[in-house]
Amino acid sequence: MTGHIPLVDLAAQHAAVADEVAEGWAQVLAKTAFVGGPQVAAFEAEYAAFAGVANCVGVGNGTDALELALRALGVGPGDECVVPANTFIATAEAVARTGATTVLVDCDVDTMLINVDAAAAAVTDRTRVVIPVDLYGQVAPIPELRAVLPERVAILEDAAQSQGATRHGQTAGSFGDVAATSFYPGKNLGAYGDAGAVTTGNAELAERVRLLGAHGSPRKYEHPVLGFNSRLDTLQAVVLSAKLRRLADWNAARRAAADRYTALLADVDGVTTPVVADGNVPVWHLYVVRVADRDTVLGKLHAEGIGAGIHYPTPLHLTGAFADLGLGAGAFPNSELVAGEILSLPLFPEITEAQQQRVVSVLADAVRA
Ligand SMILES: *Cc1c(COP(=O)(O)O)cnc(C)c1O
């Protein structure tokens, strides 16, 4: 078998919801009501129920969701927020945009999730929030963090990659004081453009997020606080409601595909398959293996038409964006080690067994050579 196997293939998902989306969009277009409206409220209620929380506020994107959650918690200049060094940059950008200081910490070398002891050790008098990231689709050790962090330190769960994942039966987006998620098109629940949400059991916090994301305005032209504009578009809400109805099935298909990779790779020397933390049922936003001489292996996969990727090639402290933290190579050994070895294999709900066999066969050849 030959041919291109993409990292993510969104076409099949669109085909599944195309009619429903067309019908829903026609209703929005007929009313020319593009911001707010019953579609947004309906999706918020549906997503809250899915995540097992009382409140969901739709916002413009996942980065805004993180920033709004931080602002709602009162974070600002002079405060510190603890963030894993091995995450997508948005987690730390949101902290920077509040004016607070990003304090990076290392990950566990096996699960690549935030290291609980490192997070606890990074807490100072100025620490307001710790932001564990549900990286690659498995919930971070948030109950374990809660157990060791001082009560005054809040937890913001970055659930951008974990829609539908569970840890000991509890669903992602319901951990910590508040959670932020992203509906960027390539996420497990993807919109047709940018979108995101904040979820929380705390109704007051949810109202504060809603206020801050709507120009600080509870009623038209009243602005008791300074906010900004970050709303979930009505057209996106229609897409998200249609896709949410299928998300459990799509996540189950991802799990089956992940299990198949793990089985196929069991006998392949030189490839370390993902480690799932105790109690976790991941949703496999990404299936990330580790190999030596990763860049060579990646080159061979690309040469064979296999759309493997790296999430993420550079730990945050080694990016230009966070150079002013003054942390050089060696600051976070685990994050730096895994950044050189990680390789994301093609994974999407509709990937076929034949496609996965081909990925594994090319990968096995590449690591052997
Ligand atoms: C995608 C993502 C975000 C940001 O989401 P956007 O909608 O792209 O702003 C934040 N954190 C993590 C871990 C992500 O993967």
Side-chain angles (χ1 to χ4, degrees), residues 14-97:
H14 174 61
V17 296
D19 289 349
E20 226 172 291
V21 168
E23 209 172 290
W25 280 10
Q27 287 174 22
V28 177
L29 297 176
K31 290 212 159 85
T32 63
F34 301 115
V35 173
Q39 292 90 345
V40 172
F43 172 70
E44 287 176 339
E46 290 156 12
Y47 195 74
F50 178 82
V53 290
N55 310 280
C56 169
V57 181
V59 302
N61 57 67
T63 313
D64 283 358
L66 288 161
E67 180 182 352
L68 283 163
L70 290 170
R71 288 189 189 275
L73 288 167
V75 171
D79 295 332
E80 293 176 359
C81 298
V82 175
V83 173
N86 65 323
T87 178
F88 181 54
I89 196 165
T91 318
E93 281 171 341
V95 174
R97 288 205 317 203

Side-chain angles (χ1 to χ4, degrees), residues 151-175:
E151 216 175 305
R152 64 180 171 81
V153 174
I155 295 181
L156 162 57
E157 177 190 8
D158 183 336
Q161 302 189 358
S162 59
Q163 293 131 359
T166 60
R167 187 175 181 95
H168 295 296
Q170 188 181 337
T171 306
S174 71
F175 288 84

Side-chain angles (χ1 to χ4, degrees), residues 60-66 87-91 93 133-136 158-161 180-184 187 194-196 285 312:
N61 57 67
T63 313
D64 283 358
L66 288 161
T87 178
F88 181 54
I89 196 165
T91 318
E93 281 171 341
V133 178
D134 299 340
L135 197 69
Y136 308 145
D158 183 336
Q161 302 189 358
T181 196
S182 163
F183 305 123
Y184 179 78
K187 300 288 156 93
D194 281 307
H285 174 60
Y312 300 91

Side-chain angles (χ1 to χ4, degrees), residues 33 39 68-69 119 121 124 135 215 219 222 227 235 262 282 285 296 310 314 348:
Q39 292 90 345
L68 283 163
T124 72
L135 197 69
H215 302 295
R219 278 168 300 280
E222 286 178 31
L235 292 172
T262 301
H285 174 60
T296 307
I310 307 173
T314 311
F348 43 91

Side-chain angles (χ1 to χ4, degrees), residues 257-274 287 289-291 345 356-357 359-361 363-364 367-368:
D259 288 348
R260 192 184 288 143
Y261 267 141
T262 301
L264 290 169
L265 288 165
D267 299 327
V268 178
D269 285 338
V271 178
T272 306
T273 53
Y287 186 90
V289 298
R290 289 169 56 188
V291 295
L345 302 184
Q356 291 191 268
Q357 281 166 346
V359 171
V360 169
S361 124
L363 177 59
V367 294
R368 208 179 296 126

